[in-house]
Amino acid sequence: MRLLERMRKDWFMVGIVLAIAGAKLEPSIGVNGGPLKPEITVSYIAVATIFFNSGLSLKTEELTSALVHLKLHLFIQIFTLAFFPATIWLFLQLLSITPINEWLLKGLQTVGCMPPPVSSAVILTKAVGGNEGIIITPLLLLLFLGSSSSVPFTSIFSQLFMTVVVPLIIGQIVRRYIKDWLERKKPPFGAISSSVLLMIIYTTFCDTFSNPNIDLDKFSLVLILFIIFSIQLSFMLLTFIFSTRNNSGFTPADTVAIIFCSTHKSLTLGIPMLKIVFAGHEHLSLISVPLLIYHPAQILLGSVLVPTIKSWMVSRQKGVKLTRPTV
């Protein structure tokens, strides 16, 4: 199962490159008003499909049992939704005086506002043997970036409700009636969402490449790449330090969940959300670039660190067992 998931993620990262390359070669197909009609097929149908799919695959019964780990989830929520975006905002105040492309910097802020995925963070946590999971509302992006959008807040809210909340609820309702069938057949939810997401990415970059006024310098891109890797490593180290203090109350397995879930960001949720919040914005694709870089970077770093973190967790658990008093 892990091998299939890894292959799917490798295929998806190749798909991102091909989608952007395809947009560069023939942007007229995916621009607004073009043959694909992305203003309808992407903004409404594609986004709604992703969240209906999420509702269909989301195991609500597991969320109920997850409430037992209230302290763990509270830590992840605070770190992900308060400390992470606030720290990025402060960091961007320093970066704003540099020659780095301003829209890429805005894209870094959107990365900070994203919740963790219910995929890569959970998979890496499972690979180590830790505790898993957290579900975060997609409306949080609006709290940080809604005022920067070129679309009225009421329009954003109504589209969010119709394309995110409603499909998610419908998916959950449908799941209740076909739960046994879903458990037997195990439909490829991940592959479906990834395919639709590639279409969204393709049309986003079609708008960029069809606009001759937009230029992305390589210097900014290289710096953003370096900054993203530095942010991820720094935050993973911070979460490790915070969660392993003597008075933290977290087990080694909890620490693993905190490291991955607090620092990973959702591309599947992020790109559709940006498409809604920044609808019609000529720099939407540039704002999306940091998130598109962050996604493969978090998988790469996570995969490299899994053996080390697993070794640490096993040794710590053995130490706890040896020091536990016998009755």
Side-chain angles (χ1 to χ4, degrees):
M1 184 64 70
R2 288 177 187 166
L3 178 61
L4 289 174
E5 188 64 31
R6 185 179 289 256
M7 289 175 62
R8 184 181 71 79
K9 288 187 176 295
D10 290 341
W11 165 82
F12 180 63
M13 284 188 278
V14 172
I16 291 176
V17 175
L18 292 176
I20 296 174
K24 175 69 174 177
L25 290 172
E26 193 54 63
S28 61
I29 296 177
V31 296
N32 283 342
L36 283 182
K37 300 292 181 185
E39 62 273 17
I40 298 173
T41 58
V42 170
S43 297
Y44 292 95
I45 299 174
V47 175
T49 299
I50 285 178
F51 288 100
F52 172 76
N53 192 44
S54 296
L56 208 56
S57 61
L58 191 61
K59 297 180 179 179
T60 315
E61 59 273 15
E62 291 185 2
L63 298 181
T64 305
S65 63
L67 291 176
V68 175
H69 302 286
L70 185 59
K71 183 179 178 181
L72 169 68
H73 297 317
L74 185 62
F75 180 96
I76 295 173
Q77 290 274 12
I78 293 173
F79 190 94
T80 306
L81 306 174
F83 182 83
F84 201 126
T87 303
I88 293 295
W89 183 84
L90 289 172
F91 185 43
L92 290 180
Q93 304 313 300
L94 296 175
L95 292 179
S96 63
I97 62 175
T98 68
I100 299 176
N101 186 288
E102 65 170 310
W103 300 106
L104 290 180
L105 293 181
K106 288 183 183 292
L108 274 180
Q109 186 65 71
T110 68
V111 170
C113 295
M114 294 298 161
V118 193
S119 55
S120 60
V122 173
I123 290 161
L124 289 168
T125 302
K126 281 182 174 178
V128 177
N131 299 329
E132 66 176 87
I134 191 170
I135 303 299
I136 303 176
T137 173
L139 294 176
L140 286 168
L141 180 61
L142 289 177
L143 296 178
F144 292 96
L145 296 170
S147 60
S148 300
S149 171
S150 58
V151 180
F153 180 80
T154 52
S155 176
I156 293 172
F157 183 81
S158 61
Q159 189 171 347
L160 274 174
F161 184 76
M162 293 304 298
T163 60
V164 176
V165 180
V166 171
L168 197 63
I169 293 173
I170 293 175
Q172 278 284 280
I173 294 172
V174 173
R175 178 181 171 80
R176 292 186 61 182
Y177 292 98
I178 61 172
K179 179 182 173 183
D180 293 337
W181 181 85
L182 291 173
E183 293 297 329
R184 287 197 315 272
K185 299 296 183 180
K186 299 187 182 302
F189 293 117
I192 294 170
S193 291
S194 295
S195 299
V196 177
L197 192 56
L198 287 176
M199 178 184 173
I200 296 175
I201 293 171
Y202 168 72
T203 57
T204 298
F205 278 86
C206 280
D207 286 332
T208 296
F209 293 129
S210 64
N211 187 342
N213 298 321
I214 295 179
D215 182 39
L216 175 60
D217 61 289
K218 294 179 181 178
F219 173 75
S220 293
L221 198 57
V222 170
L223 280 181
I224 288 294
L225 184 64
F226 173 77
I227 289 169
I228 284 173
F229 272 96
S230 300
I231 287 172
Q232 286 194 45
L233 284 172
S234 299
F235 282 180
M236 290 179 85
L237 179 61
L238 273 176
T239 54
F240 177 80
I241 293 171
F242 289 158
S243 61
T244 53
R245 292 176 302 167
N246 292 333
N247 59 347
S248 70
F250 293 120
T251 67
D254 290 338
T255 295
V256 172
I258 287 170
I259 289 173
F260 289 127
C261 292
S262 297
T263 59
H264 280 215
K265 296 295 182 176
S266 175
L267 181 69
T268 304
L269 174 62
I271 293 297
M273 290 293 294
L274 292 179
K275 193 77 174 177
I276 293 172
V277 175
F278 294 97
H281 201 297
E282 64 174 355
H283 293 100
L284 172 59
S285 61
L286 296 186
I287 296 172
S288 306
V289 165
L291 185 57
L292 290 172
I293 295 174
Y294 198 97
H295 178 74
Q298 69 189 8
I299 296 172
L300 177 62
L301 279 177
S303 300
V304 170
L305 292 174
V306 157
T308 302
I309 295 175
K310 184 172 185 177
S311 176
W312 170 84
M313 191 191 74
V314 171
S315 65
R316 284 294 297 269
Q317 287 176 332
K318 286 181 179 178
V320 171
K321 289 179 181 178
L322 289 174
T323 57
R324 188 175 294 164
T326 55
V327 179

